[in-house]
Amino acid sequence: MSDVAIDARRRALALATRGFMPAVEGDALWAAALEATAAVPAAPMLEVGSYCGRSTIWLGDVAERRDVVLFAVDHHRGSEENQAGWEHHDDTVVDDRVGMMDTLPFFRAAIHDAGVEGCVVAIVGRSPVVAANWNTPLSLLFIDGGHGELPARQDYTGWTPHVAVGGTLAIHDVFPDPADGGRPPYEQIFRPALESGRFELRSSTGSLRVLTRVG
Ligand code: SAH
Ligand code: MG
């Protein structure tokens, strides 16, 4: 890691928060966000897929430093792969009253404890519904929402046009080799972004891909 890094207390909180962001990838996401918010000053960042707020803390630290807003979009009901019986299920995040997952209380606690409530704005709803009503250019778009084919494609079509030219598209869980993980983030987001000619690859860390919008 370079000498410029996320606040150490916040990093420890992120790592103690339920979620799926490995430390090195969180640090790379943080660095990408710091660059993105310098390249496109004053524009907000947006994350699709916050879960319990783990990645949100890395991005929230940058939002505070740059005095910009981070919008954190999630319906907080979990992706297909988070539901009971699936690999990434955690039954401590189920709301027994409704019999569905509810990660919003965990997210809220994490954002409070990290001290980033002032710059992180949660948007609780379905990603395509929010995207269809969105109209603000973004310095950074981080896509880590539903990893099925349809949600991934909808996140690509709904959100990537909102990345400002010079801004950053970060995608999590990109696995070019199917042996390493599910394909939709690679096939429905990463490849189309590069093939569109609008984005160029800037860096890769684990399954995180950081692209720059060039046109
Ligand atoms: N970034 C998180 C992990 C996200 S897990 C971390 O660092 O740990 C994926 C999240 O995407 C889940 O919380 C799920 O509720 C959300 N999600 C999946 N499909 C969605 C959709 N269509 N709209 C909104 N949120 C969605
Ligand atoms: Mg992920």
Side-chain angles (χ1 to χ4, degrees), residues 78-101:
S79 306
E80 291 163 40
E81 55 274 15
N82 303 132
Q83 303 304 321
W86 290 71
E87 185 190 348
H88 294 291
H89 182 64
D90 173 351
D91 61 17
T92 63
V93 299
V94 172
D95 176 350
D96 290 328
R97 195 185 64 85
V98 294
M100 282 192 279
M101 287 177 57

Side-chain angles (χ1 to χ4, degrees), residues 44-193:
M45 299 184 279
L46 188 142
E47 166 180 80
V48 182
S50 303
Y51 195 62
C52 297
R54 186 170 168 124
S55 51
T56 321
I57 295 176
W58 269 282
L59 293 175
D61 183 80
V62 173
E64 184 190 72
R65 272 171 203 250
R66 297 294 198 203
D67 194 20
V68 298
V69 170
L70 167 66
F71 291 101
V73 178
D74 201 308
H75 52 40
H76 287 283
R77 294 301 188 195
S79 306
E80 291 163 40
E81 55 274 15
N82 303 132
Q83 303 304 321
W86 290 71
E87 185 190 348
H88 294 291
H89 182 64
D90 173 351
D91 61 17
T92 63
V93 299
V94 172
D95 176 350
D96 290 328
R97 195 185 64 85
V98 294
M100 282 192 279
M101 287 177 57
D102 183 5
T103 48
L104 183 57
F106 298 88
F107 172 87
R108 193 159 170 77
I111 295 319
H112 170 268
D113 292 353
V116 289
E117 281 190 337
C119 52
V120 175
V121 176
I123 301 182
V124 181
R126 294 180 184 169
S127 174
V129 175
V130 183
N133 288 279
W134 195 262
N135 204 14
T136 303
L138 302 169
S139 55
L140 174 122
L141 168 64
F142 173 51
I143 302 182
D144 193 19
H147 290 353
E149 256 185 50
L150 182 63
R153 186 161 57 245
Q154 287 177 329
D155 282 342
Y156 175 74
T157 56
W159 285 112
T160 60
H162 297 296
V163 179
V165 174
T168 295
L169 168 62
I171 313 162
H172 199 228
D173 302 304
V174 174
F175 298 113
D177 182 345
D180 296 328
R183 296 278 277 176
Y186 173 75
E187 285 175 345
Q188 306 296 335
I189 309 173
F190 178 69
R191 294 276 312 269

